[in-house]
């Protein structure tokens, strides 16, 4: 699954650690999601999308 978390974080000048605190996961989890090594649970994906005030499909895209 591709995602735009890194870009959205950069727009807010936010670190992985800061985002991790907001969505209540570890920095390592955010890193793994950004690199596509880990797919977030649906609740976590919604939490991240809501934080960035985006629709979930604006943050996460299925790979072809």
């Amino acid at each position: 699954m591709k995602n735009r978390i890194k870009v959205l974080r950069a727009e807010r000048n936010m670190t992985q650690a800061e985002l991790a605190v907001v969505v209540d996961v570890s920095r390592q989890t955010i890193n793994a999601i950004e690199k596509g090594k880990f797919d977030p649970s649906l609740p976590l994906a919604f939490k991240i999308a809501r934080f960035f005030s985006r629709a979930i499909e604006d943050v996460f895209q299925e790979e072809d």
Side-chain angles (χ1 to χ4, degrees):
M1 181 183 303
K2 297 187 301 185
N3 69 77
R4 298 185 55 234
I5 296 174
K6 187 173 183 176
V7 172
L8 295 169
R9 271 192 318 99
E11 289 175 357
R12 291 181 179 223
N13 197 27
M14 181 177 221
T15 67
Q16 289 180 340
E18 290 168 334
L19 177 59
V21 168
V22 171
V23 297
D24 198 27
V25 296
S26 69
R27 183 200 58 78
Q28 290 84 358
T29 297
I30 298 298
N31 184 52
I33 294 170
E34 283 186 2
K35 292 186 173 192
K37 295 181 178 177
F38 175 75
D39 289 336
S41 66
L42 192 54
L44 178 56
F46 273 109
K47 202 171 191 181
I48 292 169
R50 272 196 306 270
F51 174 74
F52 288 116
S53 301
R54 304 289 178 122
I56 195 166
E57 61 269 22
D58 292 339
V59 179
F60 298 94
Q61 298 84 35
E62 190 174 4
E63 292 190 52
D64 298 326

